Amino acid sequence: MISATLEKPAAPANVSTPTSASRPGTVKSAKTVLVGFDLGTNKSCVLSGPPGSTDIVLSKIVPSVVGYVRDGIVDGIIAGNATVLYGEEAMRNLLHVRLVAPLENGIIAHPEAARDFFQHIRSLVDPSGQAEIRAVVGVPANAGEPAREDIRRCAQGVFDRILLIPEPFLAALGYRDDSRVGQPGYIDPVVNSLFIDIGGCTSDICLVQGYFPTREDQISVAFAGDAIDQLMSDELDRTYPNNGLSHHKVREIKETHGYVGPSRRPLDVKVIMGGKGHTIELSDVIGRACNTLVDKIYPAVTTLIERASSDSVVTLLQNIIVTGGGSQMKGFDTVLQKRLADDGYETPKVQLAGQDYKRYVAVGALKAARGARENQWQHLLA
Amino acid sequence: MLHLYRRICVLRATGEAFAASRLESDELPRAVAEATAAGIPEDSWPLRFAAEEKRVADAELLAELLVPLLAERLPWPRSPATAGLSAVLDAFPAKSAARPEPGAPPPTVADLIEGMLAQERGEHRQRATRRAS
Ligand SMILES: Nc1ncnc2c1ncn2[C@@H]1O[C@H](COP(=O)(O)OP(=O)(O)OP(=O)(O)O)[C@@H](O)[C@H]1O
């Protein structure tokens, strides 16, 4: 197998000094752009900025989709008669494109589309196409070498240098409040934390303890947002046959009313069935489905807590951080914390990453790009 | 004979537990029997083995101290001229560069990346060894 990476000795120059590199295979340029890239299955987040500063020039969330415009579309229907559309623009033109999601379950499934998507990201961070692009890309902590090599291969000729770093570590680095590191009472999430990332397909629980998490530090549970939607749909179908509620609608109900913990009755939700408006009481349907999540991930959480060393575990219990879309579910932190306390774990503290959860991996990736030594970047051949 | 035992210790220290135990169960008893037959008193072996274990442990400690310094200074990747050193650097990936001792000052982002790269080099090396054997 031919590797996409070209390892060559790099001059021990600081990235902020003018570089002779440029867009692979094009004119030389003095500008370097650092990129933090969270390449997600559903959505990607990209941040960019210059080396040697903390400025963020671009911060954008892009749905991870590429739309290839179908043949025979009349001139003027697609802006600029483009043949390939990306992200939201591709979604807006669903009827006119063949939509491809480059990733499945966190890894590249369609290399051509991934390459086009990378190219789009490049054009966002460097519209001139002249800068040297150095990108730190988040990869799932349990991604194997073939998955990593796929990313390098697709980035070849698009970015100039690359570093692949496990996502949970980047989330911790992004979540870290740099101004408080070293202050008494502040537990640096990079040094000691347990990250619980509740996504669409999987919930990933990961120990972050001052080194890059390895496969043994992470457990991926195949139960997350999509499975909750499915449980809700199944129960709604049993109670209201032929309700006609789409997956999208069920998901919307979950995102608006989802909760874990004791029943929040009454929870009246207005839905349209067969064209008529109905108000239905859904507290138990929603509660049962969402509470299943806690049952499913709890054994993984305790397994990883027990893997932490006896020196670190008490502090670790103070730093359990829940992120991902599922972290938005009401009551998740309280219920998990209580369950751990009831099971005798020493004063656990579960906190939510908050509204900004979508950006932490990319923020961490940009911080990593700024902190990386010159000789740590991997060169990519054009 | 002591050379064989040292090799077992080195294999253990570099994470090759399986190869180490194979040598220990297959070759070591034969070598001990031969050495005993040649007149080396059997009861002197534990002390000799302990001395070899200590030598390897000392070498490991030295490598742990040197790895970050060398990794910092060596051009990356290392040239064929430093290939021997590469092997030493790769021999102690996770412990030396990845897991800090409790109470140590927080590592910098670059230190952490160094740890990750060392881990990866270790995995590559193990894969290559597995393929070769
Ligand atoms: N307010 C909310 N309440 C409950 N669930 C929510 C909320 N907001 C988003 N979600 C759910 O979070 C999930 C998506 O999370 P996220 O965006 O972290 O996933 P992802 O990273 O794209 O997926 P994956 O990690 O599986 O690749 C979806 O199931 C979505 O319905």
Side-chain angles (χ1 to χ4, degrees):
Chain A
M1 189 164 63
I2 302 159
S3 169
T5 57
L6 166 68
E7 293 183 331
K8 66 178 181 192
N14 186 302
V15 281
S16 58
T17 58
T19 68
S20 58
S22 65
R23 181 169 196 167
T26 62
V27 193
K28 299 199 173 214
S29 150
K31 197 174 148 208
T32 296
V33 175
L34 299 179
V35 176
F37 187 17
D38 174 6
L39 177 62
T41 307
N42 299 315
K43 290 199 170 138
S44 293
C45 179
V46 58
L47 258 64
S48 73
S53 95
T54 53
D55 294 351
I56 292 178
V57 175
L58 176 100
S59 169
K60 202 167 165 56
I61 292 171
V62 189
S64 309
V65 286
V66 182
Y68 296 96
V69 176
R70 293 181 191 282
D71 289 341
I73 299 289
V74 182
D75 264 14
I77 294 280
I78 305 287
N81 288 330
T83 52
V84 187
L85 304 176
Y86 303 94
E88 259 139 29
E89 218 191 337
M91 315 260 281
R92 271 199 303 272
N93 288 281
L94 268 184
L95 292 179
H96 309 304
V97 299
R98 181 174 60 86
L99 205 63
V100 181
L103 277 82
E104 278 168 22
N105 299 324
I107 59 175
I108 290 179
H110 301 282
E112 279 303 312
R115 200 176 161 70
D116 289 339
F117 190 66
F118 283 13
Q119 202 77 56
H120 174 63
I121 297 297
R122 182 184 169 116
S123 71
L124 292 177
V125 298
D126 175 35
S128 75
Q130 298 296 306
E132 180 190 81
I133 307 292
R134 298 182 177 196
V136 169
V137 185
V139 290
N142 52 5
E145 186 48 30
R148 292 161 158 265
E149 189 58 25
D150 282 346
I151 297 179
R152 293 189 197 107
R153 213 184 282 276
C154 293
Q156 196 177 2
V158 182
F159 302 141
D160 299 86
R161 300 191 195 191
I162 199 170
L163 245 180
L164 306 182
I165 296 184
E167 277 163 12
F169 178 84
L170 293 178
L173 191 60
Y175 185 70
R176 167 202 244 184
D177 181 348
D178 294 321
S179 67
R180 293 183 62 202
V181 172
Q183 280 181 7
Y186 183 69
I187 309 170
D188 182 350
V190 170
V191 172
N192 204 357
S193 63
L194 185 77
F195 261 76
I196 303 174
D197 179 357
I198 306 164
C201 314
T202 60
S203 298
D204 300 317
I205 302 105
C206 189
L207 265 180
V208 181
Q209 296 206 292
Y211 58 93
F212 282 91
T214 60
R215 264 156 247 162
E216 292 79 58
D217 297 314
Q218 168 160 314
I219 299 178
S220 204
V221 178
F223 188 98
D226 296 348
I228 297 176
D229 299 348
Q230 192 57 51
L231 288 180
M232 283 174 57
S233 278
D234 293 348
E235 196 162 342
L236 281 166
D237 287 348
R238 277 195 297 275
T239 323
Y240 305 96
N242 306 320
N243 58 60
L245 295 173
S246 65
H247 280 301
H248 184 259
K249 183 66 197 171
V250 172
R251 182 174 175 169
E252 194 183 292
I253 294 172
K254 174 198 69 181
E255 290 181 5
T256 313
H257 302 284
Y259 73 91
V260 291
S263 173
R264 296 195 174 198
R265 206 175 279 193
L267 210 163
D268 295 327
V269 180
K270 185 154 187 229
V271 291
I272 308 286
M273 293 196 263
K276 296 180 186 164
H278 295 266
T279 299
I280 50 180
E281 207 289 314
L282 288 183
S283 62
D284 289 344
V285 172
I286 297 172
R288 266 194 290 272
C290 295
N291 276 301
T292 310
L293 177 70
V294 185
D295 296 336
K296 293 276 185 188
I297 68 163
Y298 191 73
V301 171
T302 53
T303 301
L304 285 178
I305 290 173
E306 279 152 28
R307 272 187 206 166
S309 71
S310 55
D311 294 338
S312 65
V313 72
V314 174
T315 316
L316 175 79
L317 284 164
Q318 297 284 301
N319 228 13
I320 300 174
I321 299 153
V322 191
T323 184
S327 68
Q328 303 293 300
M329 238 176 307
K330 295 169 210 73
F332 186 87
D333 49 340
T334 323
V335 169
L336 180 60
Q337 181 169 309
K338 182 166 182 312
R339 189 144 171 192
L340 288 165
D342 290 349
D343 273 356
Y345 289 96
E346 193 67 27
T347 53
K349 195 159 164 253
V350 179
Q351 48 190 301
L352 301 177
Q355 290 297 326
D356 235 8
Y357 73 87
K358 286 194 186 96
R359 290 183 199 269
Y360 287 128
V361 171
V363 171
L366 187 56
K367 285 187 192 177
R370 289 187 157 132
R373 291 189 195 113
E374 187 66 12
N375 62 4
Q376 292 174 330
W377 291 97
Q378 291 180 300
H379 295 250
L380 293 167
L381 273 175
Chain B
M1 159 72 192
L2 286 178
H3 180 75
L4 175 65
Y5 192 74
R6 193 181 315 142
R7 188 161 154 62
I8 292 170
C9 296
V10 169
L11 284 171
R12 269 200 212 110
T14 53
E16 309 276 358
F18 178 66
S21 61
R22 220 172 45 190
L23 281 186
E24 195 164 23
S25 57
D26 294 349
E27 294 190 25
L28 191 64
R30 195 158 25 90
V32 169
E34 276 168 19
T36 312
I40 300 174
E42 209 170 329
D43 58 1
S44 71
W45 290 121
L47 259 185
R48 288 165 188 254
F49 287 163
E52 284 310 311
E53 273 166 27
K54 186 169 179 317
R55 284 182 71 185
V56 173
D58 287 348
E60 191 182 355
L61 181 68
L62 181 67
E64 282 194 35
L65 294 172
L66 278 179
V67 166
L69 294 173
L70 291 173
E72 186 93 79
R73 282 174 199 154
L74 283 175
W76 173 255
R78 283 140 302 194
S79 65
T82 56
L85 253 178
S86 294
V88 176
L89 290 177
D90 291 348
F92 303 96
K95 263 203 234 161
S96 54
R99 284 171 205 256
E101 293 300 316
T108 64
V109 170
D111 293 336
L112 290 163
I113 294 173
E114 202 51 54
M116 176 188 74
L117 296 174
Q119 265 169 271
E120 284 176 8
R121 287 197 294 270
E123 282 176 17
H124 278 305
R125 197 177 57 83
Q126 278 180 11
R127 265 197 300 275
T129 316
R130 254 181 263 134
R131 268 201 300 270
S133 62

Coordinates of all heavy atoms in Angstrom, one line a residue, chain A residues 40-43 105-106 167 197-204 224-229 251-252 254-258 290 323-330 357-358, ligand 1:
Chain A
G40 N -17.1 15.3 11.0 CA -18.2 14.5 11.6 C -19.0 13.8 10.6 O -19.1 14.1 9.4
T41 N -19.7 12.8 11.1 CA -20.6 12.0 10.2 C -21.7 12.8 9.6 O -22.0 12.8 8.4 CB -21.2 10.8 11.0 OG1 -20.1 10.1 11.6 CG2 -21.9 9.8 10.1
N42 N -22.3 13.6 10.5 CA -23.5 14.4 10.1 C -23.0 15.9 9.8 O -23.4 16.5 8.8 CB -24.6 14.4 11.1 CG -25.1 13.1 11.4 OD1 -25.4 12.3 10.4 ND2 -25.2 12.7 12.6
K43 N -22.3 16.4 10.7 CA -21.8 17.8 10.6 C -20.3 17.9 10.8 O -19.8 17.2 11.7 CB -22.6 18.7 11.6 CG -24.0 18.8 11.3 CD -24.7 20.0 11.9 CE -26.0 20.2 11.4 NZ -27.1 20.5 12.3
N105 N -20.5 6.3 10.2 CA -20.0 5.9 11.5 C -18.6 6.4 11.8 O -17.8 5.7 12.4 CB -20.0 4.3 11.7 CG -21.4 3.8 11.5 OD1 -22.3 4.4 11.9 ND2 -21.5 2.6 10.9
G106 N -18.4 7.7 11.5 CA -17.2 8.3 11.9 C -16.0 8.1 11.0 O -14.9 8.7 11.2
E167 N -10.5 12.4 18.7 CA -11.5 13.4 19.0 C -11.7 13.7 20.5 O -11.8 14.9 20.9 CB -12.8 13.0 18.4 CG -12.9 13.4 16.9 CD -14.0 12.6 16.2 OE1 -14.8 12.0 16.9 OE2 -14.0 12.6 15.0
D197 N -19.6 11.3 25.0 CA -20.1 12.0 23.8 C -21.3 11.2 23.2 O -21.1 10.1 22.7 CB -18.9 12.0 22.8 CG -19.3 12.7 21.5 OD1 -20.5 13.1 21.3 OD2 -18.4 12.9 20.6
I198 N -22.5 11.8 23.4 CA -23.7 11.1 22.9 C -24.1 11.7 21.5 O -24.5 12.8 21.4 CB -24.9 11.3 23.9 CG1 -24.4 10.9 25.3 CG2 -26.1 10.5 23.4 CD1 -25.3 11.4 26.4
G199 N -23.8 10.9 20.5 CA -24.0 11.4 19.1 C -25.3 10.8 18.5 O -26.3 10.5 19.3
G200 N -25.3 10.6 17.2 CA -26.4 10.0 16.5 C -26.4 8.5 16.6 O -27.4 7.9 17.1
C201 N -25.3 7.9 16.1 CA -25.2 6.4 16.1 C -24.6 5.9 17.3 O -25.0 4.8 17.8 CB -24.3 6.0 14.9 SG -24.7 6.8 13.4
T202 N -23.6 6.5 17.9 CA -22.9 5.9 19.0 C -22.7 6.9 20.2 O -22.7 8.1 20.0 CB -21.5 5.4 18.6 OG1 -20.7 6.6 18.2 CG2 -21.5 4.3 17.6
S203 N -22.6 6.3 21.4 CA -22.2 7.1 22.5 C -20.8 6.6 22.8 O -20.5 5.5 23.0 CB -23.1 6.8 23.7 OG -24.4 7.2 23.4
D204 N -19.9 7.6 22.8 CA -18.4 7.3 23.0 C -18.0 7.8 24.4 O -18.1 9.0 24.7 CB -17.6 7.9 21.9 CG -18.0 7.4 20.6 OD1 -18.2 6.2 20.5 OD2 -18.1 8.2 19.6
A224 N -27.5 5.5 20.8 CA -27.4 7.0 21.0 C -28.7 7.6 20.5 O -29.8 7.0 20.5 CB -26.2 7.5 20.3
G225 N -28.6 8.9 20.0 CA -29.8 9.6 19.5 C -30.7 8.8 18.6 O -32.0 8.8 18.8
D226 N -30.2 8.2 17.6 CA -31.0 7.5 16.5 C -31.8 6.4 17.2 O -32.9 6.1 16.8 CB -30.1 7.0 15.4 CG -29.4 8.1 14.6 OD1 -29.8 9.3 14.8 OD2 -28.5 7.8 13.8
A227 N -31.1 5.7 18.1 CA -31.8 4.5 18.7 C -33.0 5.0 19.6 O -34.0 4.3 19.7 CB -30.8 3.7 19.5
I228 N -32.8 6.2 20.2 CA -33.9 6.7 21.0 C -35.1 7.1 20.1 O -36.2 6.7 20.4 CB -33.4 8.0 21.8 CG1 -32.3 7.6 22.8 CG2 -34.6 8.7 22.5 CD1 -31.8 8.8 23.5
D229 N -34.7 7.7 18.9 CA -35.8 8.0 18.0 C -36.6 6.7 17.6 O -37.8 6.7 17.5 CB -35.2 8.6 16.7 CG -34.4 9.9 16.9 OD1 -34.6 10.4 18.0 OD2 -33.7 10.3 16.0
R251 N -37.8 12.9 15.8 CA -36.5 13.4 16.3 C -36.7 14.8 16.8 O -36.2 15.2 17.9 CB -35.6 13.4 15.1 CG -34.2 13.9 15.4 CD -33.3 13.8 14.2 NE -32.0 14.3 14.5 CZ -31.0 14.1 13.7 NH1 -31.1 13.4 12.7 NH2 -29.9 14.7 14.0
E252 N -37.6 15.6 16.1 CA -37.8 17.0 16.5 C -38.5 16.9 17.9 O -38.2 17.7 18.8 CB -38.7 17.6 15.5 CG -38.8 19.1 15.6 CD -39.8 19.6 14.5 OE1 -39.5 19.5 13.3 OE2 -40.9 20.1 14.9
K254 N -38.2 14.6 20.2 CA -37.2 14.3 21.2 C -36.4 15.5 21.5 O -36.1 15.8 22.6 CB -36.4 13.1 20.6 CG -35.2 12.8 21.5 CD -34.1 12.0 20.8 CE -33.4 12.8 19.7 NZ -32.4 12.1 18.9
E255 N -35.9 16.2 20.4 CA -35.0 17.3 20.7 C -35.7 18.5 21.5 O -35.1 19.2 22.2 CB -34.5 17.8 19.3 CG -33.5 16.8 18.7 CD -32.9 17.3 17.4 OE1 -33.1 18.5 17.0 OE2 -32.2 16.5 16.8
T256 N -37.0 18.6 21.3 CA -37.7 19.6 22.1 C -38.1 19.2 23.5 O -38.0 20.0 24.4 CB -39.0 20.0 21.3 OG1 -38.7 20.2 20.0 CG2 -39.6 21.3 21.9
H257 N -38.5 17.9 23.6 CA -39.0 17.5 24.9 C -38.2 16.4 25.7 O -38.6 16.0 26.8 CB -40.5 16.9 24.7 CG -41.4 17.9 24.1 ND1 -41.9 19.0 24.8 CD2 -41.8 18.0 22.8 CE1 -42.7 19.7 23.9 NE2 -42.7 19.1 22.7
G258 N -37.1 15.9 25.0 CA -36.4 14.8 25.6 C -35.9 15.0 27.0 O -35.5 16.1 27.3
C290 N -35.7 7.8 26.4 CA -34.5 8.5 26.8 C -33.8 7.9 28.0 O -32.6 7.8 28.0 CB -34.9 10.0 27.1 SG -35.5 10.9 25.7
T323 N -21.0 15.5 26.4 CA -21.1 16.4 25.2 C -21.9 15.6 24.1 O -22.4 14.6 24.3 CB -19.6 16.8 24.8 OG1 -19.7 17.6 23.7 CG2 -18.8 15.5 24.4
G324 N -21.9 16.2 22.9 CA -22.6 15.6 21.8 C -24.1 16.1 21.9 O -24.6 16.6 22.9
G325 N -24.8 15.9 20.8 CA -26.2 16.3 20.7 C -27.1 15.8 21.9 O -27.9 16.5 22.4
G326 N -26.8 14.5 22.3 CA -27.6 13.9 23.3 C -27.4 14.5 24.7 O -28.3 14.4 25.6
S327 N -26.4 15.3 24.8 CA -26.1 16.0 26.1 C -27.2 17.0 26.4 O -27.3 17.6 27.5 CB -24.7 16.6 26.2 OG -24.6 17.6 25.3
Q328 N -27.9 17.4 25.3 CA -28.9 18.4 25.4 C -30.2 17.9 26.1 O -31.1 18.7 26.4 CB -29.3 19.0 24.1 CG -28.1 19.5 23.3 CD -27.5 20.8 23.9 OE1 -28.2 21.8 24.1 NE2 -26.3 20.7 24.3
M329 N -30.3 16.6 26.3 CA -31.5 16.0 26.9 C -31.6 16.5 28.4 O -30.6 16.3 29.1 CB -31.3 14.5 26.9 CG -32.5 13.9 26.1 SD -32.3 12.2 26.0 CE -30.7 12.0 25.3
K330 N -32.7 17.0 28.7 CA -32.9 17.5 30.1 C -32.7 16.4 31.2 O -33.2 15.3 31.0 CB -34.3 18.1 30.3 CG -34.5 19.3 29.4 CD -36.0 19.7 29.4 CE -36.4 20.4 28.2 NZ -36.6 19.5 27.0
Y357 N -21.2 22.7 22.4 CA -20.6 21.3 22.3 C -20.1 21.0 20.8 O -19.1 20.3 20.6 CB -21.5 20.2 22.8 CG -22.7 20.0 21.8 CD1 -22.6 19.1 20.8 CD2 -23.9 20.6 22.0 CE1 -23.6 18.8 19.9 CE2 -24.9 20.4 21.1 CZ -24.8 19.5 20.1 OH -25.8 19.3 19.2
K358 N -20.8 21.6 19.8 CA -20.4 21.3 18.4 C -19.1 21.8 18.0 O -18.5 21.3 17.0 CB -21.5 21.9 17.5 CG -22.8 21.2 17.5 CD -23.6 21.7 16.3 CE -25.0 21.1 16.4 NZ -26.0 22.1 17.0
Ligands
LIG1 N1 -31.9 19.0 22.4 C1 -31.7 17.7 22.1 N2 -32.2 16.8 22.9 C2 -32.0 15.5 22.7 N3 -31.2 15.0 21.6 C3 -30.7 15.9 20.8 C4 -30.8 17.3 21.0 N4 -30.1 18.0 20.1 C5 -29.6 17.0 19.3 N5 -29.9 15.8 19.8 C6 -29.5 14.5 19.2 O1 -28.1 14.3 19.1 C7 -27.8 13.5 18.0 C8 -26.7 14.1 17.2 O2 -25.6 14.4 18.0 P1 -24.2 14.9 17.4 O3 -24.5 16.1 16.5 O4 -23.3 15.0 18.5 O5 -23.9 13.6 16.5 P2 -22.8 13.3 15.4 O6 -21.5 13.7 16.1 O7 -23.1 13.9 14.1 O8 -23.0 11.8 15.4 P3 -22.0 10.6 15.7 O9 -21.3 11.0 16.9 O10 -22.9 9.4 15.9 O11 -21.2 10.5 14.4 C9 -29.1 13.3 17.2 O12 -29.7 12.0 17.5 C10 -30.0 14.4 17.7 O13 -31.3 14.2 17.6

